[in-house]
Amino acid sequence: MLDQILPLYGIQPVKSDIQLFGDGLINHTWKITTESAGYILQKVNQSVFKKPQDIDQNITLLNAFLKDKHPEYLFVTPLCGRSGKSLMETPAGFFRLFPFVENSHSLNVLNRKEEAYEAAKQFGKFSMLLNDFDVTQLHITLSDFHNLSLRYEQFLSAVQKASEERKTKSSALISFINEHKNLVEIYNGIVHNKEIPLRVIHHDTKINNVLFDPQNKGICVIDLDTVMPGYFISDVGDMMRTYLSAANEEETDLNKINVRIDFFKAIYDGYMEEMGSVLTETEKKYFVYAGKFIIYMQAIRFLADYLQNDIYYGEKYPEHNFNRAANQIQLLRKYIEIEDNLVKLLH
Ligand code: ADP
Ligand code: GN1
Ligand code: MG
């Protein structure tokens, strides 16, 4: 298949080394190495992103703004092929090619709080530099992506339609989610609060969407598919979800899941160094809630997927999404256990 795609960019497949790359759950990603350069080739997952053109247009708009106002900022955008287009529509699907950021790597778990600081700073910087960008210009690439209210409704419907076997296995997790429905109500309050504006939000700040240099200093953010108008709690929350625990969402030994309070502080410091002067006082009050919001939503998403026979995330082994949901619920429990300490830390 790639034999047909690479020539669209003037790359000869015979002379290049092609490897499947990364641990993303959504798109197909390959690293292409030629004698002169490295690239990241991606096939957009069209069952998730119905209109890849919208993503492409968003990136083009943001790039024009950033190149004009902040030309020194590294914003990694798709390269144009021979046709002059940055998104290739082919019979095999939609493809795009990025320059490989040399001497970079991504991490799946963080071992040092300094890395949490670096990553949080990168995501904070992204929203801060785009603070004056007119967010209404952006397409919504995934509607209701972080609409917790709707996610909760979809979860209830997944419970209704699930097989008895999967429902029974999930009963303790389902109860936990229902017992914490107040998190949905807080979200509904945020949506109606005029002091909490829509901003340019990345919406997928998990740790492997930041590139680090060999010294583990942050280089830039990547994976721009879900950049669209949203609330800051989405970005801060997904950082907490993926940076706080020493074990990540794939861990099946729940005893290994923890909340590292010094990593929480590092997220706060890194993000606020960039966004502290931009966020409203009302937004700042939801900093700790952000973690509960996203961890809870991710638990709902994994469990709903399990109940619907893994149609969204797929599974690498039986019960994979059940395990991921149990993992996220354990993380939420641990987070709530020390919530008071987190609040105190910020005052
Ligand atoms: P997905 O949407 O499937 O998560 P990503 O865009 O995050 O796909 O890419 C998957 C992985 O590929 C990233 O976690 C990162 O390791 C690597 N990657 C993506 N873009 C680049 C790039 N421009 N340079 C170097 N590595 C990259
Ligand atoms: C997906 O694409 P990736 O792997 O960075 C998902 C996120 C989830 C995450 C869970 C478009 O992110 O929302 O938080 O998996 N992206 C989409 O690991 O659904
Ligand atoms: Mg990714």
Side-chain angles (χ1 to χ4, degrees), residues 108 205-207 237-245 249:
N108 284 324
T205 59
K206 77 182 202 190
I207 191 57
D238 213 29
M239 291 183 218
M240 296 189 192
R241 188 181 78 79
T242 62
Y243 311 175
L244 292 182
S245 174
E249 69 191 16

Side-chain angles (χ1 to χ4, degrees), residues 4-241:
Q4 318 286 312
I5 310 298
L6 291 174
L8 301 173
Y9 294 94
I11 297 174
Q12 291 312 315
V14 275
K15 291 197 183 150
S16 47
D17 173 20
I18 303 172
Q19 296 168 326
L20 263 176
F21 199 74
D23 293 297
L25 301 191
I26 301 296
N27 297 312
H28 276 91
T29 304
W30 297 266
K31 181 172 181 193
I32 313 290
T33 312
T34 69
E35 278 166 6
S36 53
Y39 303 95
I40 285 286
L41 179 70
Q42 259 181 354
K43 179 174 184 223
V44 181
N45 182 334
Q46 249 188 295
S47 54
V48 173
F49 297 105
K50 308 285 182 221
K51 288 172 78 185
Q53 301 89 337
D54 285 357
I55 299 173
D56 195 57
Q57 284 174 20
N58 281 354
I59 295 177
T60 304
L61 279 173
L62 295 172
N63 191 38
F65 179 92
L66 289 166
K67 287 283 167 300
D68 178 31
K69 308 272 189 234
H70 307 283
E72 71 300 337
Y73 180 67
L74 178 59
F75 189 57
V76 187
T77 56
L79 298 165
C80 291
R82 291 186 145 168
S83 62
K85 291 185 183 160
S86 51
L87 180 70
M88 296 294 171
E89 184 174 2
T90 78
F94 283 88
F95 289 80
R96 61 209 172 176
L97 186 76
F98 297 88
F100 187 88
V101 176
E102 292 305 329
N103 296 316
S104 75
H105 63 276
S106 56
L107 301 167
N108 284 324
V109 280
L110 293 182
N111 294 319
R112 295 168 53 242
K113 63 178 189 308
E114 290 76 14
E115 295 154 1
Y117 167 86
E118 288 291 322
K121 193 168 163 66
Q122 286 298 327
F123 284 113
K125 183 172 182 184
F126 175 71
S127 285
M128 186 273 290
L129 293 179
L130 290 164
N131 193 38
D132 293 332
F133 179 88
D134 172 12
V135 71
T136 60
Q137 285 185 279
L138 293 178
H139 293 288
I140 308 289
T141 58
L142 274 181
S143 51
D144 293 307
F145 185 45
H146 281 188
N147 179 342
L148 183 57
S149 197
L150 185 76
R151 294 277 183 194
Y152 184 72
E153 294 303 320
Q154 288 169 337
F155 163 76
L156 293 180
S157 138
V159 173
Q160 289 287 314
K161 293 185 194 142
S163 69
E164 278 312 314
E165 191 197 341
R166 290 195 177 211
K167 206 172 4 186
T168 307
K169 182 169 171 71
S170 309
S171 62
L173 302 188
I174 295 171
S175 301
F176 181 94
I177 286 172
N178 286 328
E179 283 156 17
H180 290 79
K181 201 191 157 212
N182 69 312
L183 296 174
V184 182
E185 277 135 31
I186 298 173
Y187 167 78
N188 288 334
I190 288 176
V191 172
H192 292 107
N193 192 330
K194 298 262 180 309
E195 298 291 308
I196 303 188
L198 288 170
R199 303 184 175 282
V200 181
I201 294 298
H202 186 283
H203 284 107
D204 196 359
T205 59
K206 77 182 202 190
I207 191 57
N208 61 18
N209 288 328
V210 183
L211 295 180
F212 289 92
D213 75 9
Q215 284 74 43
N216 281 350
K217 294 272 177 215
I219 303 177
C220 61
V221 305
I222 53 165
D223 201 346
L224 305 169
D225 300 334
T226 52
V227 173
M228 54 185 161
Y231 301 111
F232 92 102
I233 52 169
S234 284
D235 281 0
V236 165
D238 213 29
M239 291 183 218
M240 296 189 192
R241 188 181 78 79

